[in-house]
């Protein structure tokens, strides 16, 4: 099992109801982690509009996870 | 230079730093809080950033602008926190030998920052309602579920 | 508003006037005296205008910008007289609801002013030499005479 | 005969050696006036790079002249 911390920002934080959570998971990739978390409907069903960061870097959804990783699912940006 | 700040953006002071004697052209962009958006009257705004990642991505954009266009310097500051109508949310300044490169680089920076830097905006409306901008694409997806 | 002035251009003060609460974007352009031009080191510049005609044509350009692009306001000030390296020779400011129109209108104004407004520039170089910019097209024509 | 005042700016003033001159002419148009003045070589031989103003308005070279007109031959602009 891996220990993963997940951070939520803006609308995803509102949807999820928390700014961060730490959990133990067997998810191999960020994609698997998202699917696991999405089952309770407190995340969008479709991740096509989300971006992913691991340890403060943008990453592809297929990136493998390691214990201790900080993952963030990022809603559409709206700076400026 | 790319910076995230919680303080008011002083466009005049920032503009004063853009100059060098080999620079013929300085182009600046200020994005300000408007009193309306998409037909709704807006009272105020709140910006939030994933700061560590935002600063990294912003610095990358500034570097790209310097490589793509013949400019001397580019600079961008984005404010976060609660902003009122008329407040400057983002400031971009570019100086260059010639004007066209300065215009192109300045527009490049603002376009790229808007699409690539993890910053979010919440609008506050009359009647204590509020809305995260671009969140609709997520809820649209959620409703398609049924 | 289009203006010819003999006084230093205070970009910061002019920028402060560009804002209105329905404006999301302010784009400004400053043209400054560079220390070089076409490979020659420049010491200072002198601008001269046919003022009456310059002010009429400048006002026309501002009006055109307001008609062609979705902007709230455009403003241009051109300084004349003797200018030193780093001095602002021309300032253009545009405010608009959205950024793209502001960029387009700002670049339109500076392009049009450069090509249509009767203002001339003389560069001063080391060794007390000087040269009217773009005068070469006339002398080229004169030499073709022989 | 018409009384015409001619203004010179920048490089044309240097070439002509004066900022303005008033003369009596039978020239019908600005074009004819230019040709008449150009004969002493103190104006460019070719007017294709010059613009013309009459009474502080841009005009076409074919514009007829009236006594009292203020004419200006304008060298290439270089503002900004």
């Amino acid at each position: 099992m891996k220990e993963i911390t997940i951070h939520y920002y803006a609308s995803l934080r509102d949807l999820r109801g928390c700014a961060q959570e730490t959990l133990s998971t067997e998810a191999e990739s960020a994609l698997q982690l998202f699917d696991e978390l999405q089952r309770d409907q407190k995340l969008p069903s479709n991740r096509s509009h989300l971006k992913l960061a691991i340890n403060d870097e943008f990453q592809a959804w297929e990136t493998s996870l390691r214990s201790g990783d900080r993952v963030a699912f990022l809603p559409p940006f709206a700076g400026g | 230079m790319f910076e995230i700040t919680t303080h008011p953006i002083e466009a005049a002071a920032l503009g004063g730093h853009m100059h060098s004697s080999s620079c013929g052209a300085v182009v600046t962009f200020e994005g300000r809080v408007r009193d309306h958006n998409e037909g709704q009257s807006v009272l105020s705004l709140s910006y939030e950033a994933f700061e560590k990642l935002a600063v990294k991505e912003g610095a990358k954009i500034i570097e790209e602008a310097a490589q793509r266009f013949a400019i001397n310097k580019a600079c961008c500051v984005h404010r976060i926190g609660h902003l009122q109508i008329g407040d400057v949310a983002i400031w971009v300044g570019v100086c260059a030998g010639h004007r066209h490169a300065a215009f192109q680089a300045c527009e490049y920076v603002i376009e790229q920052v808007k699409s690539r830097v993890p910053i979010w905006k919440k609008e506050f409306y009359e009647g204590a309602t509020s809305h995260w901008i671009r969140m609709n694409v997520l809820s649209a997806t959620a409703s398609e579920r049924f």
Side-chain angles (χ1 to χ4, degrees), chain A, chain B:
Chain A
M1 296 288 270
K2 297 156 187 157
E3 188 102 328
I4 305 286
T5 305
I6 305 133
H7 293 260
Y8 301 102
Y9 294 92
S11 54
L12 282 199
R13 183 182 56 237
D14 291 356
L15 199 60
R16 191 72 187 169
C18 66
Q20 73 175 79
E21 59 188 324
T22 301
L23 49 83
S24 296
T25 176
E26 290 186 334
E28 300 276 319
S29 66
L31 180 55
Q32 284 180 19
L33 176 66
F34 183 84
D35 286 346
E36 188 182 310
L37 287 163
Q38 193 272 320
R39 270 175 220 135
D40 64 10
Q41 317 258 319
K42 280 176 159 179
L43 280 177
S45 59
N46 184 321
R47 59 182 171 75
S48 64
H49 293 286
L50 304 183
K51 287 206 157 42
L52 168 75
I54 302 176
N55 303 331
D56 308 328
E57 297 280 359
F58 288 118
Q59 296 291 352
W61 287 92
E62 296 69 25
T63 309
S64 343
L65 293 177
R66 293 187 230 172
S67 199
D69 277 350
R70 279 168 291 112
V71 170
F73 302 119
L74 308 171
F77 307 151
Chain B
M1 188 207 73
F2 180 88
E3 210 179 288
I4 301 277
T5 181
T6 56
H7 300 292
I9 292 177
E10 303 292 350
L14 288 166
H17 291 302
M18 288 313 293
H19 181 56
S20 87
S21 60
S22 60
C23 258
V26 179
V27 172
T28 71
F29 171 81
E30 280 171 39
R32 287 175 178 267
V33 181
R34 277 185 307 164
D35 58 8
H36 65 281
N37 189 26
E38 290 173 9
Q40 265 193 292
S41 156
V42 174
L43 296 183
S44 63
L45 280 189
S46 169
Y47 283 98
E48 170 181 337
F50 177 172
E51 242 184 285
K52 251 183 150 171
L53 184 52
V55 165
K56 276 186 205 174
E57 193 68 10
K60 236 185 249 179
I61 291 166
I62 295 292
E63 210 174 292
E64 286 166 19
Q67 279 167 356
R68 280 172 186 243
F69 308 102
I71 63 171
N72 295 39
K73 192 155 76 172
C75 170
C76 177
V77 183
H78 200 303
R79 185 173 167 194
I80 56 172
H82 205 89
L83 276 71
Q84 303 302 319
I85 305 301
D87 282 352
V88 179
I90 184 168
W91 186 89
V92 181
V94 173
C95 75
H98 296 280
R99 68 185 179 285
H100 192 57
F103 275 108
Q104 283 191 306
C106 189
E107 198 163 8
Y108 178 82
V109 170
I110 175 70
E111 298 292 337
Q112 296 295 315
V113 167
K114 283 180 83 89
S115 72
R116 290 165 48 187
V117 175
I119 295 177
W120 300 276
K121 171 160 68 179
K122 192 177 204 166
E123 287 181 346
F124 293 85
Y125 313 105
E126 307 264 358
T129 56
S130 65
H131 179 69
W132 285 106
I133 298 305
R134 297 196 59 205
M135 193 197 171
N136 53 329
V137 296
L138 301 183
S139 16
T141 318
S143 71
E144 277 161 22
R145 191 188 294 173
F146 305 105

